[in-house]
Amino acid sequence: QVQLQESGPGLVKPSETLSLTCTVSGGSISSYYWSWIRQPPGKGLEWIGYISYIGSTSYNPSLKSRLTISLDTSRNQFSLTLSSVTAADTAVYYCARAVGSTWHFGLWGRGTLVTVSS
Amino acid sequence: EVVLTQSPGTLSLSPGEGATLSCRASQSVSSNYFAWYQQKPGQAPRLLIYGASSRATGIPDRFSGTGSGTDFTLTISRLEPEDFAVYYCQQFGDSLQYTFGQGTKLEIK
């Protein structure tokens, strides 16, 4: 059974860089598209960006200037870095998997709360 | 950017009743790449419907999705207590971007 697990610091200072990793267990990172999605407390879902199994990326235009998503196939992981964070970046961050032919998110991690505060 | 607008914002119903949730897109989207999710407090979203009308694995047949173009509907017949949650629509478009609706909260009346 394939599972996704987010990991990273739960607290980041303003103006610093947020870094998270999603580990894929029980299956291969190949042949799928891997996204980051976030949800501020009490609010809705916001797609951040994705990376494909061959390393191509697509980013939310509103975050693109601060965002990098990378892939480590040897570790079955993909990562998110978001620079110059502010309190508005406080959210639960989810990683999720999509199939390229249908593009829906059929598998999600449990999410990790990242708080931006000094 | 495609904007998805869900209505109503909150829907108050009783178990056993039927629910109709709407999602309207600011421009035509592909029904092949349109989905619905359910989210309960403290949990990740769960896929309900993909391709606008196909139920995901394990989703009861009281959940159904319809629509095309700019108007999509999620219908839940005979609400069960576990159906009370927040529901999101989602689309994937030609610009290789995803967008989500703002959510509809289905609450017990």
Side-chain angles (χ1 to χ4, degrees):
Chain A
Q1 179 182 356
V2 183
Q3 293 184 318
L4 306 182
Q5 179 66 58
E6 305 89 351
S7 59
L11 181 64
V12 181
K13 290 182 168 55
S15 79
E16 296 190 342
T17 296
L18 180 161
S19 297
L20 295 174
T21 296
C22 181
T23 300
V24 181
S25 60
S28 174
I29 208 164
S30 299
S31 304
Y32 293 99
Y33 290 73
W34 305 94
S35 276
W36 288 99
I37 296 157
R38 70 181 182 179
Q39 185 171 37
K43 297 187 178 180
L45 302 167
E46 179 183 32
W47 174 73
I48 297 171
Y50 75 66
I51 189 164
S52 76
Y53 60 100
I54 55 171
S56 59
T57 56
S58 179
Y59 294 158
N60 187 321
S62 69
L63 299 169
K64 188 173 183 177
S65 64
R66 301 191 289 131
L67 179 63
T68 301
I69 298 177
S70 58
L71 188 70
D72 186 341
T73 55
S74 66
R75 295 187 175 189
N76 247 25
Q77 294 177 333
F78 63 104
S79 298
L80 161 77
T81 60
L82 185 66
S83 63
S84 305
V85 297
T86 70
D89 295 308
T90 294
V92 174
Y93 285 75
Y94 296 99
C95 55
R97 185 185 78 176
V99 176
S101 58
T102 53
W103 296 102
H104 58 264
F105 300 114
L107 182 67
W108 295 68
R110 298 182 68 175
T112 187
L113 174 63
V114 178
T115 301
V116 178
S117 175
S118 56
Chain B
E1 175 192 344
V2 176
V3 176
L4 299 179
T5 302
Q6 294 186 238
S7 60
T10 301
L11 187 56
S12 299
L13 294 169
S14 300
E17 292 189 293
T20 301
L21 287 66
S22 174
C23 181
R24 175 162 290 177
S26 59
Q27 61 192 78
S28 184
V29 302
S30 171
S31 58
N32 291 332
Y33 309 144
F34 187 91
W36 289 95
Y37 300 84
Q38 176 193 68
Q39 187 179 34
K40 297 180 179 179
Q43 296 184 16
R46 176 175 72 145
L47 176 69
L48 295 176
I49 300 288
Y50 65 93
S53 61
S54 297
R55 273 187 302 276
T57 302
I59 300 304
D61 61 7
R62 64 179 181 273
F63 290 90
S64 63
T66 59
S68 64
T70 60
D71 291 295
F72 298 84
T73 301
L74 175 69
T75 301
I76 313 170
S77 62
R78 305 179 311 278
L79 285 164
E80 297 286 343
E82 62 268 27
D83 297 338
F84 292 90
V86 180
Y87 293 83
Y88 293 95
C89 57
Q90 167 253 303
Q91 69 85 36
F92 179 78
D94 291 344
S95 58
L96 304 183
Q97 305 280 310
Y98 287 91
T99 52
F100 288 95
Q102 83 278 17
T104 289
K105 182 179 181 180
L106 178 56
E107 65 177 23
I108 299 177
K109 188 174 182 180

